[in-house]
Every structure is written in C-alpha cells, then in structure tokens.
Amino acid sequence: MNASPLWLSLKIATIATIIVFIGGIILSRLISRKLFPGKSIVESILLLPLVLPPTVVGFGLLYLFGKNGWIGKWLLNWFDIQVVFTWTGAVIAAIVVSFPLMYQSASAAFQNYDPNIENAALTMGASKLKVFFTISLPLAWPGLLAGLVLTFARALGEFGATLMIAGYIPGETDTIPLAIYFAVEAGRMEQAKMWVIVILCLGFSSVLWLNWWTKRRILPYQRD
C-alpha cells in the first residue's frame, strides 16, 4: 500500500507537536500565574481554535498566509517561501488547532502545585532557570505529558483547516484524514477503510498508553 499519507501524517503531527509543546509551556508559564489587564482576552484568543469550526480556522490561516495575506506576502517577497498548498501549511494548521489543548494542560499543570516550593528555592539562591528545570518542570510533568499526547493525537487527526490551507496534493499534503475523505469521494471504500483502521489504531494506542502511564506513574494505587 502507498504509505505516503501515513508518513506525512506522522511527520506533520510530530513537528507540530514539538512546536506546540515548547510554545505551550512557555506561554502557559508566562501567563497562567500572572494577573494583568486583558488576561482573559489573551487566553480567550489562545483558546479560540478549540471552539471554532476547523473551516473557519482554515479560512483565517488562508487569509494570513495566502500570497496576498499579511504573513504570506511577506514570506514570499523576502524569503521566497510559499505556505499555501504545501506540507508546511499542514503543519501550521495542526499547530493552531492543537495548541489550545497543550496550553490548557500546561496551565493546569503549573497551577497544580504549591508555588512556595519555587519561592523557597529562589530564596536559597537558585536561578529562575534552574528552578524551572529542577522543580517546576518535574512537578508539572504529568500534566505536560498528558497535553503532549493529546496534542499529537489532535494534530494527527486534523482535517478541515489542513484542507483549507494545504489542499489535497498526493505525496505532498495528503495526510490520512484527507486520504480518507478523497478515497470516499472517489468510491475507493476499501482504501478508505484501511486508512480509518490505521488512524484508529494510532489514536487508540496514544490514549491507551496515556491511561496506562497515568495509572502506573501518577496514581500507583490504582490497578486495572
């Protein structure tokens, strides 16, 4: 079978997950425990893709990254980079739609432990960077890992926004969700079933592993 949709989906989801994981941790760390005017507005904007239809998100990305868009025109003129109808566009779509899941998980993780632990380390002379990597990150890690897995699963299954900005180009942007849709459109039901089974297995494995890890590492007193 043609493995390109599987390879593309894994590549796009992995790249998007890495970017979202790092960005989500940084933004949640900067915002979650701070009080400032307009915080609710900022967080609402960050979480907006979670409640918008994927086609609306895709339209917004197309508006920004198209040849005449604010960002797309600048990238094309200065760096000769085109985002629309490329796998890079699919990565951007996956980043935008999956970011709210990582941000929510990271925000909850950083608020789920006593900040006095960090303050005590700072009082003893530890730098903020050292406190983050030796105290904050380990304490928040269970929640961050949950966000990581959910982000990957969401990026892997992204469809609407990807179709809007990346289109369907075999070998270039044909991720598994797109391959399923266009296989059904063409009447290739067996091929569609095959990709459905593949993405079901990938999604189920991700959630199953997360549940197992949660029980074994976070809640060791629970048993199957």
Side-chain angles (χ1 to χ4, degrees):
M1 71 178 180
N2 182 9
S4 62
L6 175 60
W7 161 242
L8 280 169
S9 293
L10 291 175
K11 180 174 72 170
I12 289 168
T14 300
I15 295 172
T17 299
I18 293 171
I19 296 172
V20 168
F21 183 68
I22 296 172
I25 289 177
I26 293 173
L27 282 178
S28 62
R29 181 65 178 176
L30 292 175
I31 295 174
S32 62
R33 288 187 173 180
K34 304 292 184 181
L35 293 176
F36 56 87
K39 177 181 177 180
S40 297
I41 296 176
V42 172
E43 289 194 312
S44 296
I45 293 173
L46 293 175
L47 298 176
L48 193 58
L50 195 62
V51 298
L52 288 177
T55 50
V56 174
V57 176
F59 178 82
L61 293 175
L62 194 60
Y63 185 82
L64 290 174
F65 289 95
K67 290 184 178 180
N68 296 319
W70 298 344
I71 302 176
K73 188 175 182 180
W74 176 74
L75 289 174
L76 194 60
N77 291 338
W78 286 90
F79 302 100
D80 196 27
I81 296 176
Q82 179 178 323
V83 172
V84 178
F85 301 126
T86 66
W87 71 271
T88 303
V91 172
I92 293 173
I95 288 171
V96 173
V97 299
S98 61
F99 180 83
L101 293 173
M102 187 66 228
Y103 179 81
Q104 281 188 319
S105 297
S107 295
F110 285 126
Q111 295 180 63
N112 201 34
Y113 60 85
D114 189 352
N116 289 324
I117 301 174
E118 297 172 339
N119 295 334
L122 291 171
T123 302
M124 296 175 66
S127 66
K128 289 185 177 181
L129 194 61
K130 184 176 181 180
V131 169
F132 175 76
F133 282 106
T134 60
I135 297 177
S136 306
L137 200 59
L139 289 175
W141 181 245
L144 297 178
L145 181 61
L148 180 69
V149 174
L150 293 174
T151 296
F152 179 79
R154 181 66 186 88
L156 190 66
E158 164 51 29
F159 171 75
T162 301
L163 182 60
M164 291 287 287
I165 189 173
Y168 179 72
I169 304 174
E172 179 69 21
T173 65
D174 56 335
T175 60
I176 293 178
L178 293 180
I180 293 171
Y181 177 81
F182 284 97
V184 172
E185 283 286 294
R188 300 191 299 269
M189 299 305 294
E190 291 302 317
Q191 185 180 23
K193 289 178 184 177
M194 175 190 68
W195 289 121
V196 166
I197 293 172
V198 169
I199 201 164
L200 277 173
C201 290
L202 289 172
F204 180 76
S205 299
S206 299
V207 176
L208 183 65
W209 182 87
L210 179 60
N211 287 335
W212 174 85
W213 189 90
T214 300
K215 289 182 179 181
R216 301 298 178 182
R217 302 294 181 179
I218 306 175
L219 301 174
Y221 54 86
Q222 289 188 359
R223 291 291 183 268
D224 294 333

